[in-house]
Amino acid sequence: MLSKLQNTLNSLSSKKSLKYTLYISAIIIFFALILVPPIIGIVIKAPAMQSFLKQPVLVNSALGAISNSFIIALIVAALDLIAGVPLAWLITRGKSRWLSVLDTFADIPFVVPTAALGYSILLFWSSSGGISTLFGSSLISPGWLLVMLLHFTFSFPVVVRVVVGAMLDYKMEYERASRTLGAPPLTASRTVTFPIIKPSLIAAFSLAFARSLSETGATFIVAGLVFQNGPVFIQNLSNGLKAGTISQATYEGGTVFASLILIVVSLIIFGLIRVLGQKLTLPFGKGLPSFEKKLSYKKAAWSRNSIALFVFIVIVLIPSLFVALPAFQAIATGSTLAQALMGQGIWSSFWQSLFLSYSLAAIVTVLGILTGIPMAILISRKTFGKLPSTILDLLINVPLIVPSIALGVSLKFFWQGIPGIPEFLLLVFAHLAITYPYFVRSMSAAMERINVDMEEASRTLGARPFTVFKTIVLPITKYSILSGAIIVFTRSVSETGATLAVTSNLVTAPVLLVKWVNSVRGIVAPIAGVNALTVGLACGFLILFSFIILLVLRLLTRKGKI
Amino acid sequence: MPDVRVVNVTKKYGKLYALDNVSITIHDQEYFSLLGPSGCGKTTLLRLIAGLIEPDSGEIYIGDRRVDKVPPEDRDIGFVFQTFALFPHMTAWSNVIYGPKVKNYDAKQAETIGHEVLELVKLNERLNAYPSELSGGMMQRIAVARALAAGAKTLLLDEPLGQLDAKVRNEIRYEIRRMAKDLKLTAIHVTHDQAEAMSISDRIAVMKKGKIVQIGTSQELYMHPNSLFVAHFIGESNFLEGYVTKANGESEIELRQGLVVKAFNQMNIKPGERVVLAIRPETCEMKKGHVASENCLFGRVEKSTFEGIVVRYEVRLENGDRFVINRPSLTEEWSKIGEDVTITYPLDKAHLFPYPESGLAEEIKV
């Protein structure tokens, strides 16, 4: 049966018409489901901006919030690079076998849903139970500093992952050549390694920047009552609408206004990064090699590694997992755990939301892979020529830079005009739009690294295109497919902003957690049965399940089963 | 001026010995080649000398200075990589003056050195091109120029001609030797190509499985191989298996099916011991028909191949052994397939070795 299917796929794959139908379908799906709806959603509501623009207080507040977004995103992305590169260096260049464990730990903030992460950061830095205990009072109050710490935490793994990937692909021969010509290690890195991996450094910076700019759910938790960035401003508008303090027109106008500015300015900044990044060169720095020589050797390298590890453990890892502490307490008390496991009271809605989140993430991941692979092939193999591939490559990035809540709102604006769309489908579209670029990016980069000779060799040995894909492309790119799938899955499980925006009835786990956290913090009316223990346990479950799923995926790939 | 000395150096990768207690001295201003099959440890040895990897034990000296703990940038070496490793983000010119710049030479000095070395490698065009825009030969010249510009007195070359086509390779190998000699450098050249090593080296070390099996000039290695491996790896040899039957001076060897031949027994192998007689194809004479004479073998031509300068014959000896012989193609009448022939060999160019414990095939495996 299976071989019959394989034979059919093989003979079909040889037909050019079918191949092009597949590619064109991928392009249509990208435009119809991912790129166009949010843009049209914003454009059709553009007239609503008029009533919003008549309210100078709100306009000023929006502009202030948006500038906060950019300032924080730029600073955080820069700090991520400064801290992430030494850790990536340590992971790829260190000799200890424990570094592979460190490599896995670097992914942990990926696993923690951002809403849980936000709460975790709040507990660690701000509550009396966290690090603040050492100082007698709240060390860092909710506000801009806490938002920066949060954004640093969740964008840090992105930077580490990208830079580790680049360093693994980097030919060490260049650095060795530099050393034999008289350059101390740091000079060799500055003058040879970093310029060669510059595209990846720029990509890491851009991804961290985009993540910071678009994150909503967790930011809302740690922003406090006074501080606003762009996404928080949109969320506050949405809350204001629900509370009846602002009108529908103001809500729509404000959302479109903030989203448009965020999108346009982001596009300009991305364009600048793209253009200037390529031209950016570090000066050779006469005399610098002697100074760098002093910084290159054992003691200095040891200090550098220690600081990188310290930053990772204290600012990223522990605050990310801190939320799990009350989970242990909840397990110790027994009754909360028993209630949770039996699905009593509030826990029934938790399990429902968890089931919804994981089902949604699984569907989105499968759809992302199915629609993303043809697009990745189109981009990497320049099937329709160089220019169309470059344009597609650029357009893929658009959903990355739109704040997730703005993306959600604009998608809702678009799809609510088409009657009969189920809410679940809307959720799938929203999550697909947000996660799609991550998969395509990871996959197309992997495809570019494959030597086309290997595929051609396979064809000359009698393999049809489907067999070539199955026996050559798939095994070589499986790690990238897995990495892409992991990012899609975790992003979907943790996505809050867009989910809040597109849903009225369905409640995913992060949305439920935000409600619970707000209840515990007294921001909304208390929900009976929700307290710090239940929130901690719920976050603990979410982290645990996500971690197990990722672990299974990793083990499966390692055994070469996928 | 630097001698390079490697003393009892061992390097392991897991359980595998890449280098096993190797000692070697390369003299000042010598052009020295490390020759051996893939995986014999020659590149490992070169990288240890460069400081790109550290030995597990042993000592390395460049000149009088012990350097095995010294980082590569302080060893005063120039290294030419097999892949050239030209920095892809720099132009050819920037690659060449990279060394002087990281060594904090002033701009003018760096420029002067750059032009001098480019003069040496006879390349003064396309200096603003990036490596990806250069031909293999040009990249090779830039790689050598870059290594020379760093001002090193020891030049290490890791299969520097491996990426070039045969014609360019033959031209450039003599140029590299000339430059090394003109600049009075000590050069260590890693290659698996015996013709390349023999044509340019003052001395050659033949390596096998992490050990040095013989060091000598090209002639010494060719004329007096100390092992079956060297006899096989340097040039080509026919290996005839047999037993020593008489062991005084001109020994007698009984080959398969009772065929008796003569050979000098320089290793004093005792009668009754199993041996291998190595005879190079180009040292033999061949006559048509079976004509009895001193040190002769009778056989029949099974295959002949025209190879340009020589014709290569594969002859089946009367005892069933296969024997290869090369004869000049232009000055001799060619023999035909199926023709009976008599092969004679000079006694002093036939080498007798004890039969290896691991078997002949394993011993000569590359």
Side-chain angles (χ1 to χ4, degrees), chain B residues 172-244:
Chain B
I172 289 186
R173 65 189 188 198
Y174 296 109
E175 281 182 37
I176 294 180
R177 180 185 159 88
R178 173 188 55 80
M179 278 186 279
K181 289 292 172 189
D182 286 353
L183 295 170
K184 300 184 173 167
L185 304 179
T186 305
I188 308 175
H189 181 126
V190 159
T191 181
H192 64 266
D193 181 340
Q194 44 125 342
E196 182 178 308
M198 290 176 83
S199 60
I200 56 173
S201 313
D202 295 327
R203 282 193 308 151
I204 300 168
V206 181
M207 295 185 69
K208 182 192 174 192
K209 291 183 180 169
K211 289 181 185 281
I212 290 172
V213 286
Q214 189 174 359
I215 300 174
T217 63
S218 304
Q219 288 102 316
E220 282 165 355
L221 295 177
Y222 184 81
M223 309 292 273
H224 308 290
N226 68 356
S227 63
L228 284 165
F229 178 77
V230 175
H232 176 68
F233 194 74
I234 302 284
E236 193 183 4
S237 289
N238 291 290
F239 295 119
L240 304 173
E241 297 175 32
Y243 292 87
V244 175

Side-chain angles (χ1 to χ4, degrees), chain B residues 35 77 193 354:
Chain B
L35 175 67
I77 45 131
D193 181 340

Side-chain angles (χ1 to χ4, degrees), chain B residues 152-163:
Chain B
K153 287 289 170 200
T154 309
L155 185 61
L156 308 175
L157 306 115
D158 184 10
E159 308 226 12
L161 309 172
Q163 306 249 323

Side-chain angles (χ1 to χ4, degrees), chain A residues 123-201:
Chain A
L123 284 178
F124 183 76
W125 293 108
S126 199
S127 81
S128 56
I131 200 169
S132 300
T133 319
L134 300 174
F135 301 92
S137 62
S138 172
L139 181 63
I140 300 170
S141 304
W144 67 271
L145 189 55
L146 206 55
V147 170
M148 279 194 30
L149 277 170
L150 166 77
H151 286 207
F152 179 82
T153 306
F154 66 62
S155 49
F156 185 81
V158 180
V159 171
V160 173
R161 198 52 44 237
V162 173
V163 179
V164 164
M167 304 256 307
L168 289 176
D169 282 346
Y170 171 70
K171 276 191 205 155
M172 278 298 287
E173 216 70 322
Y174 295 130
E175 203 169 296
R176 292 192 188 114
S178 166
R179 297 283 303 277
T180 62
L181 293 167
L186 257 185
T187 310
S189 312
R190 180 173 59 84
T191 57
V192 176
T193 309
F194 292 151
I196 291 175
I197 63 164
K198 193 172 73 177
S200 297
L201 296 178

Side-chain angles (χ1 to χ4, degrees), chain B residues 280-331:
Chain B
R280 296 203 180 276
E282 53 276 12
T283 56
C284 304
E285 299 274 337
M286 192 167 83
K287 289 186 188 123
K288 296 189 179 193
H290 287 172
V291 187
S293 65
E294 287 276 301
N295 317 321
C296 74
L297 299 160
F298 296 143
R300 179 169 292 166
V301 176
E302 280 194 344
K303 192 178 172 190
S304 74
T305 315
F306 172 67
E307 290 186 351
I309 298 169
V310 297
V311 179
R312 177 187 170 88
Y313 297 100
E314 285 183 30
V315 176
R316 184 66 59 188
L317 298 182
E318 58 185 339
N319 72 340
D321 282 347
R322 183 178 151 276
F323 199 95
V324 172
I325 175 165
N326 294 333
R327 297 301 307 157
S329 63
L330 300 176
T331 54

